[in-house]
Amino acid sequence: MKTYHSLSAIQKDIKEGKVNCTTLVQFYLKNISEKAHLNAFLEVYEEEALAAAQAIDQKIAQGKAGRLAGMVIGIKDVLCYANHEVNAASKILSTFQSQFTGTALQRLIDEDAIIIGRLNCDEFAMGSSNENSAYGPCLNELDNTRVPGGSSGGSAVAVQADLCLVSLGSDTGGSVRQPAAFCGIVGLKPTYSRISRWGLIAYASSFDTIGVFSKNIPDNALVLEIMAGADEHDSTVSKKPVPAYSSLLNFNKKAKVAYIKETIHSEGLNPEIKERTLATLEKLKQAGHEVEEVSFPYLDYILPTYYILTTAEASANLSRFDGVRYGHRSEATGDLESLYKKTRSEGFGEEVKRRIMLGTFVLSASYYDAYFTKAQKVRRLIKEKTEELLKDHDVLVMPTTPTVAFKLGEHSSNPLEMYLADLYTVQANVAGVPAISIPNGVDSQGLPIGLQIVGKAFDEATVFAFADYLMQNQLN
Amino acid sequence: MSLIHKEMKKVDHDTLKKMAHLSRLEFDQANGEKMINSMNEILDWVEKLNEIDTDAVAPLITMSEEVNQLREDVVKEELPHEKGLQNAPKRDSDYFRVPKVME
């Protein structure tokens, strides 16, 4: 079977009888087993996926198939799927089986997407390289000595290596866009609250979003369109109507594009990425679009703001893992308090413990105002300044990452070095706005470079259309 | 004005012990030392925020602009008893089991 890179090509060939869901699933299963060394999947739902494929093939024959018939999807190990394990790549949730299916995932299944397995990631989505997984690192397919990025590393590699057509990840500070850039694919973080978080294991609730990996914009847009929207199980999800993104991809106007000078002139930016970004901006100018340099004075303050607020939220969210109701429980005997302490100390990895400790620190009475309240104030400044820039422009364009995919172990001994991998992605999460990473060529070693497009809150339609325009016209 | 003094290390052994207890975590000597160092390094780094004057800025405490729309409170069985207990590391027929709390 040939390798497909879009749902439209699959659905066309299904219609013409050249392929069916069963052969598609068999194809991906074969790839998964041949590329098992990448450690992308933590579990493969082989029999189930084949059974679902057969059922959907029948629905297709009867003309009753859903909009995603033919789409094979992998899901990050932080999404709840009824009667399936979900571990957040942590030992503390080993053997945990979800009792329900999250809203976003259920909506995809209802449109006949086939779920082929769950994907490796950093423990509780905390990391930028997938090296913090309790189940071992996931490898970048292009160079197995390099990381795929993180935290949704397995989800990125699954699409990169054709182990499924589309995958779901989650993005709290760049966890979809950064691995998408490192793997040379498309990765979307929608507006905060655009998709229900019911069934998404929480890391930092005021930042977390489900995100989508794909090889093209139309597939990504269709998946968001189906997942997004009101849900009675999430009181924070937006009730705004969901546009039909996949049919709004025609970008036929002169765009007003801004680029933030601090992102381009930032010290840590790899010169080849800088060059590719400037080249794209130049091509946009040549094509008649308005490209303006703007200043964003808070660039170096975004990551500190992010780490104070997310660790605080994580320390609260992760207090539920106590060994009483589910997950790992320490074998050590003792009283209830020592059961909690031993269970959590055995179950959580080092980075998760560090974030819980930092979060506890910044929320403690003596430091609350100096750190937590201070960061909430700076968050407002960052959000308002970002919105101001977006008021006068359709999109902001910048590099997705300061570097290309780095080597395994290169930053794992220094947390701060690792945190800087999210330098450009974290702004969209702190401000709550949508952003996408699309491929922007490769460096001299052949490693992928990502270009990030940031849009106004709830204006995914423009972000998608502009990204598709760039990809279709090879301006990226 | 900064409330924090740069020269002072924020996290020492006592602070680590206190935070670990509040976090319900334990660290041995070596890991405790490592944690102290990385926490201090990160806290020094985030103090960069003190360069920004925020005296006239209100903290941002919610990311949603939409007013809560409450749904009807309908009694439903969202999680049947047996399913609720299915992941328990230790249980009996009705309850989660924990070590004895009262003497």
Side-chain angles (χ1 to χ4, degrees), chain A residues 172-173 203-204 206-207 296-313 358-359 362 370-383 416 419-420 422-423 426-427 429-432, chain B residues 42-52 54 57 59-60 63:
Chain A
T172 306
Y203 156 22
S206 78
F207 295 80
F296 183 77
Y298 302 121
L299 184 67
D300 291 335
Y301 302 91
I302 312 177
L303 277 169
T305 303
Y306 170 85
Y307 274 97
I308 291 172
L309 297 176
T310 54
T311 56
E313 292 184 25
L358 280 165
V362 301
Y371 291 93
F372 188 66
T373 308
K374 179 80 188 181
Q376 286 183 313
K377 290 178 173 184
V378 180
R379 187 180 197 182
R380 179 182 297 279
L381 294 174
I382 292 169
K383 182 171 181 276
L416 273 183
Y419 296 173
L420 290 172
D422 292 327
L423 179 64
V426 74
Q427 181 180 6
N429 303 81
V430 171
Chain B
I42 293 165
L43 290 168
D44 280 345
W45 172 66
V46 300
E47 275 166 31
K48 194 172 170 55
L49 298 192
N50 292 323
E51 295 168 12
I52 303 179
T54 52
V57 183
L60 182 66
M63 288 302 286

Side-chain angles (χ1 to χ4, degrees), chain A residues 18-288:
Chain A
K18 291 180 185 157
V19 73
N20 60 38
C21 293
T22 306
T23 49
L24 278 165
V25 169
Q26 284 165 342
F27 167 81
Y28 289 122
L29 289 172
K30 185 164 165 281
N31 276 1
I32 291 169
S33 89
E34 281 173 7
K35 294 176 184 174
H37 65 282
L38 298 174
N39 201 24
F41 278 87
L42 296 180
E43 190 178 353
V44 182
Y45 311 140
E46 186 170 343
E47 282 173 29
E48 264 178 71
L50 285 167
Q54 219 168 32
I56 294 163
D57 279 334
Q58 276 175 12
K59 283 171 89 172
I60 293 170
Q62 295 159 356
K64 290 182 192 159
R67 287 194 287 168
L68 297 180
M71 184 178 275
V72 177
I73 291 183
I75 57 173
K76 184 177 181 178
D77 190 26
V78 290
L79 292 161
C80 293
Y81 185 14
N83 307 316
H84 293 76
E85 271 192 37
V86 56
N87 302 336
S90 178
K91 273 194 288 192
I92 209 157
L93 275 177
S94 58
T95 75
F96 177 82
Q97 249 193 31
S98 180
Q99 294 100 331
F100 69 100
T101 300
T103 304
L105 182 57
Q106 188 60 54
R107 287 179 183 170
L108 300 184
I109 294 169
D110 290 345
E111 289 290 349
D112 289 332
I114 296 169
I115 311 305
I116 199 163
R118 79 189 149 90
L119 295 158
N120 204 351
C121 57
D122 285 299
E123 184 179 3
F124 284 101
M126 297 178 189
S128 305
S129 68
N130 210 125
E131 292 168 292
N132 294 337
S133 167
Y135 303 93
C138 172
L139 311 180
N140 194 315
E141 201 218 6
L142 272 170
D143 177 347
N144 291 175
T145 67
R146 291 179 189 272
V147 303
S151 66
S152 314
S155 301
V157 171
V159 171
Q160 176 194 36
D162 296 309
L163 312 181
C164 53
L165 184 71
V166 163
S167 66
L168 297 186
S170 65
D171 191 314
T172 306
S175 285
V176 167
R177 289 158 289 152
Q178 185 253 19
F182 280 11
C183 293
I185 58 172
V186 174
L188 168 82
K189 178 209 100 76
T191 307
Y192 176 75
S193 81
R194 183 65 294 188
I195 304 176
S196 166
R197 289 182 291 116
W198 172 248
L200 169 65
I201 294 178
Y203 156 22
S205 307
S206 78
F207 295 80
D208 293 343
T209 57
I210 291 174
V212 186
F213 291 94
S214 64
K215 285 207 164 146
N216 61 63
I217 300 296
D219 287 357
N220 210 301
L222 180 62
V223 168
L224 178 66
E225 173 181 328
I226 290 168
M227 288 194 298
D231 173 24
E232 66 164 19
H233 289 110
D234 180 356
S235 63
T236 63
V237 74
S238 172
K239 280 114 191 157
K240 287 190 173 64
V242 179
Y245 305 115
S246 63
S247 47
L248 297 169
L249 294 177
N250 191 18
F251 194 88
N252 52 11
K253 62 169 190 176
K254 293 296 168 210
K256 287 177 86 174
V257 177
Y259 69 94
I260 294 171
K261 68 171 186 221
E262 288 85 356
T263 62
I264 296 290
H265 302 304
S266 142
E267 234 176 83
L269 177 60
N270 169 320
E272 291 189 72
I273 298 179
K274 179 176 175 175
E275 203 181 296
R276 293 290 318 183
T277 309
L278 290 171
T280 298
L281 290 167
E282 189 51 41
K283 281 191 239 173
L284 279 168
K285 270 188 222 166
Q286 298 295 329

Side-chain angles (χ1 to χ4, degrees), chain A residues 82-83 95-100 192-193 198 206-207 232-233 235-240 298 300-305 307-308 323-329 334-342 344-345 348 350 352-354 356-358 360-362 364 366-367 369-371 373-381 383 387 414-416 419-420 429-433 457-458, chain B residues 1-5 8-12 15-27 31-32 34-72 74 76 78-91 95-101 103:
Chain A
N83 307 316
T95 75
F96 177 82
Q97 249 193 31
S98 180
Q99 294 100 331
F100 69 100
Y192 176 75
S193 81
W198 172 248
S206 78
F207 295 80
E232 66 164 19
H233 289 110
S235 63
T236 63
V237 74
S238 172
K239 280 114 191 157
K240 287 190 173 64
Y298 302 121
D300 291 335
Y301 302 91
I302 312 177
L303 277 169
T305 303
Y307 274 97
I308 291 172
V324 172
R325 291 150 300 159
Y326 42 75
H328 171 76
R329 177 185 290 199
D335 60 8
L336 186 58
E337 189 178 288
S338 91
L339 172 92
Y340 294 150
K341 288 184 177 176
K342 296 258 184 283
R344 289 165 63 81
S345 300
F348 290 133
E350 186 186 344
V352 173
K353 287 179 191 168
R354 178 163 27 249
I356 292 172
M357 289 286 285
L358 280 165
T360 305
F361 181 90
V362 301
S364 61
S366 345
Y367 294 104
D369 286 340
Y371 291 93
T373 308
K374 179 80 188 181
Q376 286 183 313
K377 290 178 173 184
V378 180
R379 187 180 197 182
R380 179 182 297 279
L381 294 174
K383 182 171 181 276
E387 287 166 350
N414 186 331
L416 273 183
Y419 296 173
L420 290 172
N429 303 81
V430 171
V433 296
F458 297 100
Chain B
M1 206 187 67
S2 166
L3 295 167
I4 307 145
H5 306 289
M8 219 170 63
K9 283 292 165 216
K10 266 68 61 180
V11 184
D12 55 16
T15 318
L16 181 88
K17 219 174 133 190
K18 198 176 150 201
M19 294 305 143
H21 173 66
L22 290 171
S23 305
R24 299 296 185 268
L25 288 170
E26 289 174 344
F27 296 96
N31 286 317
K34 239 174 114 178
M35 190 56 66
I36 288 174
N37 291 338
S38 68
M39 285 176 75
N40 279 322
E41 199 184 341
I42 293 165
L43 290 168
D44 280 345
W45 172 66
V46 300
E47 275 166 31
K48 194 172 170 55
L49 298 192
N50 292 323
E51 295 168 12
I52 303 179
D53 179 2
T54 52
D55 285 351
V57 183
L60 182 66
I61 54 169
T62 171
M63 288 302 286
S64 181
E65 293 146 31
E66 291 171 46
V67 181
N68 284 338
Q69 284 179 35
L70 302 177
R71 64 174 155 81
E72 281 301 302
V74 185
K76 278 193 263 185
E78 294 276 5
L79 189 61
H81 196 96
E82 186 48 40
K83 271 189 138 180
L85 286 166
Q86 91 185 14
N87 285 299
K90 199 169 178 200
R91 56 170 286 191
Y95 298 105
F96 299 106
R97 296 291 302 267
V98 292
K100 199 167 161 184
V101 177
E103 292 304 320

